């Protein structure tokens, strides 16, 4: 068995184990760290499959930025674990239904196109540049889906800001309109502190 095949099975097993630990860990901080491990193994699988650009992007963007942000947010929040566990059984039927649906979809895919019928990919030439090939595909053949995904992400960012932006009583905020409309004579009062002459 080639070394690449052994590495593929090794990284896949660690990826499945860490993904399972993400959803079974009791501590949210540990779950986030297991997710970082899962991203590292997924990046290693991408690199083994010849997609070095996607593997590096997965490490730089998700592990280096997003997951670090998630980890800091989880560590700063005061999460009440007992309150989270109280509603677990109420969501169990919905979770089981979604899991059964996912298994049925995978079975339908394997039933319609078994792995033996899928043609092997063509050999990658030595001078191949998958970053350039990915850019050409994104900005030519998949330009409209790429732009639609960008607009959806922009709408999601605006919606997240709008949902979290709420006015609270007792907080001091700036009124830009009142600051711009102020006049000098309303803010400044000259007082003569010299002693009056006899």
């Amino acid at each position: 068995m080639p070394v690449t095949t052994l590495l593929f099975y090794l990284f896949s097993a660690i990826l499945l184990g860490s993904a399972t630990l993400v959803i079974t860990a009791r501590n949210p901080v540990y779950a986030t760290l297991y997710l970082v491990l899962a991203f590292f193994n997924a990046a290693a699988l991408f690199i083994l499959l010849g997609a070095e650009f996607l593997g590096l992007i997965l490490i730089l963007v998700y592990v280096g930025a997003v997951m670090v942000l998630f980890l800091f947010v989880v560590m700063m929040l005061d999460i009440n674990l007992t309150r989270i566990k109280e509603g677990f059984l109420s969501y169990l039927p919905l979770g089981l239904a979604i899991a059964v649906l996912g298994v049925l979809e995978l079975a339908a895919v394997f039933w319609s196109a078994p792995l033996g019928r899928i043609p092997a990919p063509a050999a990658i030439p030595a001078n191949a540049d998958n970053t350039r090939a990915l850019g050409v595909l994104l900005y030519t053949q998949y330009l409209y889906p790429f732009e639609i995904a960008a607009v959806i992400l922009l709408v999601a960012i605006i919606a997240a800001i709008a949902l979290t932006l709420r006015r609270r009583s007792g907080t001091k905020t700036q009124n830009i309109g009142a600051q711009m409309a102020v006049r000098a004579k309303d803010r400044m009062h000259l007082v003569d502190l010299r002693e009056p002459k006899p």
Side-chain angles (χ1 to χ4, degrees):
M1 184 179 287
V3 180
T4 54
T5 307
L6 288 174
L7 289 175
F8 178 81
Y9 285 121
L10 176 64
F11 289 136
S12 300
I14 298 174
L15 175 60
L16 291 174
S18 57
T20 306
L21 289 171
V22 168
I23 60 175
T24 57
R26 295 177 181 271
N27 194 332
V29 177
Y30 291 160
T32 309
L33 292 174
Y34 288 134
L35 191 55
V36 170
L37 179 62
F39 280 149
F40 268 114
N41 286 280
L45 288 176
F46 275 133
I47 292 172
L48 278 178
L49 294 174
E52 298 89 2
F53 178 72
L54 291 178
L56 293 175
I57 287 297
L58 187 63
I59 291 176
L60 291 176
V61 175
Y62 283 94
V63 177
V66 177
M67 286 313 303
V68 172
L69 178 64
F70 282 175
L71 186 61
F72 279 119
V73 168
V74 167
M75 291 175 70
M76 285 189 297
L77 290 178
D78 188 15
I79 299 175
N80 191 357
L81 296 177
T82 56
R83 186 177 177 184
I84 293 174
K85 292 175 185 176
E86 286 175 357
F88 176 74
L89 292 177
S90 62
Y91 294 111
L92 187 60
L94 178 62
L96 289 176
I98 293 173
V100 169
L101 181 63
V103 170
L104 290 176
E105 288 178 351
L106 287 175
V109 169
F110 285 120
W111 183 268
S112 61
L115 292 179
R117 297 182 189 173
I118 297 175
I124 302 174
N127 58 352
D129 186 5
N130 34 359
T131 307
R132 179 183 176 85
L134 184 65
V136 168
L137 276 177
L138 277 179
Y139 292 107
T140 55
Q141 187 175 351
Y142 296 103
L143 178 62
Y144 288 127
F146 183 71
E147 295 295 333
I148 290 171
V151 171
I152 290 173
L153 287 174
L154 178 63
V155 171
I157 292 171
I158 295 173
I161 293 172
L163 288 174
T164 57
L165 185 64
R166 56 183 184 274
R167 299 192 179 276
R168 300 176 183 173
S169 60
T171 58
K172 295 182 179 180
T173 57
Q174 289 181 327
N175 188 350
I176 306 299
Q179 289 178 351
M180 297 298 293
V182 73
R183 294 178 299 177
K185 65 179 183 179
D186 297 333
R187 290 292 182 93
M188 188 181 300
H189 182 64
L190 298 177
V191 178
D192 190 2
L193 297 177
R194 292 177 296 180
E195 295 181 1
K197 293 180 181 180

